[in-house]
Amino acid sequence: MSLQKQVMEKMKEAMKAKDTVALQALRAVKSAFLLAKTESGAGDDLSETQEIKIIQKQVKQRKDSAAIFIKQGREDLAKPELDEVAVLEQFLPEALTEEEIEGVVIATIDSLGASGMQDMGKVMGIVSKELAGQADGKTISTLVKKNLMK
């Protein structure tokens, strides 16, 4: 079942359960899916990779908002954002640990024969494709830099 169908099923469940937090998060994802479909050059259906990227973006937006609210001492506003993150994360694949990501980064550096920062783009491209949906770009970037500077 595609992620779009899963989101629709969860929306129905949230409506029946009168779960406003889940409903708000799921409606935002549905809206993002529809927007991506209507963008120029997009096909009728989104690939699973595109769906995952959309959900990751929604999660990141909410985490960033929550961090800002917490920094400003507004835990009352941060809590609903973090609750929505929990709802959305159920649609994402299992995230890898930093050690697992680093293992992939090191293997990619070795296979490419990358030797310095000039090869960062090549390594980032391959690792990002391989770990799509399982790791965020910031973590990958940090680990690639760390291992290329050795």
Side-chain angles (χ1 to χ4, degrees), residues 25-85:
L26 295 169
R27 282 184 174 151
V29 170
K30 180 184 174 196
S31 173
F33 284 155
L34 290 173
L35 186 63
K37 280 184 183 181
T38 58
E39 286 178 353
S40 61
D44 288 339
D45 284 332
L46 298 171
S47 69
E48 186 175 351
T49 307
Q50 289 172 311
E51 292 173 338
I52 289 172
K53 283 184 181 179
I54 290 169
I55 294 174
Q56 283 178 323
K57 184 176 179 182
Q58 295 286 318
V59 169
K60 184 178 182 330
Q61 287 174 345
R62 281 158 181 74
K63 283 183 177 179
D64 291 346
S65 295
I68 290 169
F69 290 141
I70 289 171
K71 188 176 178 183
Q72 295 174 346
R74 298 294 310 263
E75 281 76 18
D76 59 319
L77 295 175
K79 186 180 180 338
E81 296 289 332
L82 295 173
D83 291 345
E84 287 185 26
V85 167

Side-chain angles (χ1 to χ4, degrees), residues 7 12 16 56 63 86 89 99 104 145:
V7 168
K12 289 176 189 174
K16 289 176 184 174
Q56 283 178 323
K63 283 183 177 179
E89 283 182 336
E99 292 79 26
V104 172
K145 281 180 191 172

Side-chain angles (χ1 to χ4, degrees), residues 84-96:
E84 287 185 26
V85 167
V87 170
L88 296 177
E89 283 182 336
Q90 67 185 326
F91 298 104
L92 295 174
E94 190 71 30
L96 297 176

Side-chain angles (χ1 to χ4, degrees), residues 91-142:
F91 298 104
L92 295 174
E94 190 71 30
L96 297 176
T97 65
E98 198 166 307
E99 292 79 26
E100 292 170 323
I101 298 168
E102 191 164 19
V104 172
V105 168
I106 291 170
T108 304
I109 289 171
D110 291 344
S111 70
L112 288 175
S115 59
M117 290 304 291
Q118 70 274 10
D119 296 322
M120 183 166 176
K122 292 179 198 172
V123 176
M124 279 294 298
I126 293 171
V127 173
S128 294
K129 271 187 185 169
E130 191 175 329
L131 300 180
Q134 297 176 313
D136 69 325
K138 187 175 182 181
T139 305
I140 294 170
S141 174
T142 304

